[in-house]
Amino acid sequence: MDDVGIKVHKLKHLKLHAKMLLIDECRVIVGSINLAPGSFDSRRELAIETHDDEVVKRMSKIVHHDWKHSHRLDLSDEGLAAELERHNIESAHELALNVDRKKHKRK
């Protein structure tokens, strides 16, 4: 997403499954759906779009607050491998990351 201009940040101390997309401060999409083939083909996920002014204002306020209190997520192969290692997630081998697997192997 980063390579096409979509900015991605990570929040500390929050574990979220829900996703929210704010589009031009006039529409919002909220749901559990991932933007990946599995969400469209293999699973039934939920996403709701609204352009209701009050809902969009509230969601916009939340987005701007969260963005201010977040940090940039490194989406490079090395950055993703390091992030997985930090969280003791052992699924890095399932991803097509171009990194030295020995260097980023969980100890």
Side-chain angles (χ1 to χ4, degrees):
M1 293 192 330
D2 192 50
D3 59 337
V4 294
I6 299 171
K7 294 177 174 44
V8 178
H9 274 213
K10 180 179 178 186
L11 291 169
K12 292 183 179 180
H13 312 297
L14 286 176
K15 295 187 184 214
L16 302 172
H17 178 72
K19 286 82 175 174
M20 194 268 292
L21 301 170
L22 178 65
I23 302 121
D24 298 330
E25 302 279 338
C26 64
R27 287 185 297 155
V28 67
I29 299 172
V30 180
S32 64
I33 195 165
N34 295 314
L35 299 177
S39 293
F40 296 101
D41 301 335
S42 304
R43 295 182 298 277
R44 295 298 173 247
E45 303 269 357
L46 173 67
I48 298 171
E49 176 183 353
T50 184
H51 54 82
D52 179 271
D53 288 339
E54 291 303 313
V55 174
V56 172
K57 277 189 222 176
R58 176 71 176 131
M59 297 306 288
S60 179
K61 183 177 177 182
I62 291 169
V63 166
H64 291 290
H65 174 271
D66 287 352
W67 191 264
K68 183 178 176 182
H69 295 92
S70 66
H71 67 276
R72 185 178 178 274
L73 181 60
D74 181 356
L75 296 175
S76 69
D77 287 354
E78 293 79 13
L80 291 172
E83 187 74 19
L84 291 169
E85 185 177 335
R86 261 193 302 283
H87 294 284
N88 294 321
I89 298 172
E90 297 185 32
S91 62
H93 65 280
E94 296 175 12
L95 302 175
L97 300 179
N98 188 20
V99 295
D100 181 357
R101 302 219 187 270
K102 292 175 187 168
K103 182 179 177 185
H104 290 285
K105 189 175 181 184
R106 186 176 163 208
K107 297 170 177 54

